[in-house]
Amino acid sequence: MNRINKKLQEAKKIFSIYFSAGYPNLSDTVQIIQDLEKNGVDMIEIGLPFSDPLADGPTIQASSTKALHNGMNTQVLFDQLKDIRKTVTIPLVIMGYFNPMLQYGIENFCQKCAEIGIDGLIIPDLPVDVYADEYKATFEKYGLKNIFLITPQTAVERINFIDSVSDGFIYMVSSASVTGSQTGFGAEQADYFKRISDMNLKNPQIIGFGISNKETFNQATQYAKGAIIGSAFIKHLTQNGTGKIKEFVEEII
């Protein structure tokens, strides 16, 4: 069974962290992953930096730009992660844009992910219908879960279609904006979380965008299986380097 599906079966709320590979320093990627698992994080989204990150707010954009300047690219990331499964057991997801994957070759990219033990991909700019028609068979061949995003504006029919072609979790974007920390969620967002929860989809939902602390994590997971923290963790890395990951995680869980 894929590690994502196994993790989702656990009777707990999933705490996932996103960070940009190669940030703050090119060689930090593996150490950050190991430290996050050691301190209780359930799943990690490894950001593959791209020069035109459409869905990312200023914090993640800045970290991606710095990572690219550090020398991070697709092949470097694969080289860094080649032995990751010797030390890390939790689900690992690569989150990135379609262009670098296309440049690498979709089959080659998926094969490499499978070889090193990547469990899934999140590709915000790959439309679900294009995936279903052209790439689903390749992803499934290599045991990769493709995770799709929905927003408060996503139509019910499209949510149901995404649910039908998915076999992992659905990434619920908390609001119609780019990534970034918030102080809390309002009634409108709570209604959205409840509305999706009440649809009883076959795939559990994990909420991202705007989760930054224990309060927003608890608000999000009231209606969803888990939540993802990205910008707030990257800000922590910017301010503290990689030495205080334990303190960050302990403030959330």
Side-chain angles (χ1 to χ4, degrees), residues 48-56 61 64-65 68 97-100 125:
L48 177 59
F50 181 53
S51 56
D52 189 21
L54 300 173
D56 296 328
Q61 280 196 26
S64 290
T65 299
L68 291 170
Y97 293 88
F98 195 52
N99 185 280
D125 58 343

Side-chain angles (χ1 to χ4, degrees), residues 25-117:
N25 301 298
L26 183 63
S27 59
D28 288 336
T29 310
V30 170
Q31 188 64 54
I32 290 171
I33 293 169
Q34 291 170 337
D35 287 351
L36 287 171
E37 178 178 41
K38 187 170 67 179
N39 288 294
V41 170
D42 299 300
M43 181 164 59
I44 299 171
E45 294 173 16
I46 305 160
L48 177 59
F50 181 53
S51 56
D52 189 21
L54 300 173
D56 296 328
T59 300
I60 293 177
Q61 280 196 26
S63 68
S64 290
T65 299
K66 177 70 161 58
L68 291 170
H69 288 160
N70 288 345
M72 179 52 68
N73 60 40
T74 305
Q75 191 57 55
V76 169
L77 179 59
F78 284 149
D79 291 344
Q80 288 184 351
L81 297 179
K82 67 182 191 303
D83 295 321
I84 196 69
R85 286 304 175 192
K86 292 180 180 176
T87 56
V88 172
T89 61
I90 60 174
L92 299 176
V93 176
I94 289 179
M95 184 169 186
Y97 293 88
F98 195 52
N99 185 280
M101 301 175 191
L102 202 57
Q103 295 292 325
Y104 198 85
I106 299 303
E107 179 106 19
N108 291 338
F109 190 92
C110 291
Q111 184 175 3
K112 201 70 184 170
C113 285
E115 283 174 11
I116 62 181

Side-chain angles (χ1 to χ4, degrees), residues 211-223:
I211 319 290
S212 61
N213 52 30
K214 193 179 190 73
E215 180 192 359
T216 45
F217 180 85
N218 288 339
Q219 283 180 309
T221 55
Q222 183 179 350
Y223 294 107

Side-chain angles (χ1 to χ4, degrees), residues 153-172:
Q153 284 70 42
T154 306
V156 169
E157 295 79 13
R158 192 152 186 88
I159 293 171
N160 284 324
F161 179 56
I162 286 170
D163 192 43
S164 72
V165 301
S166 298
D167 178 29
F169 65 90
I170 291 173
Y171 189 129
M172 271 181 72

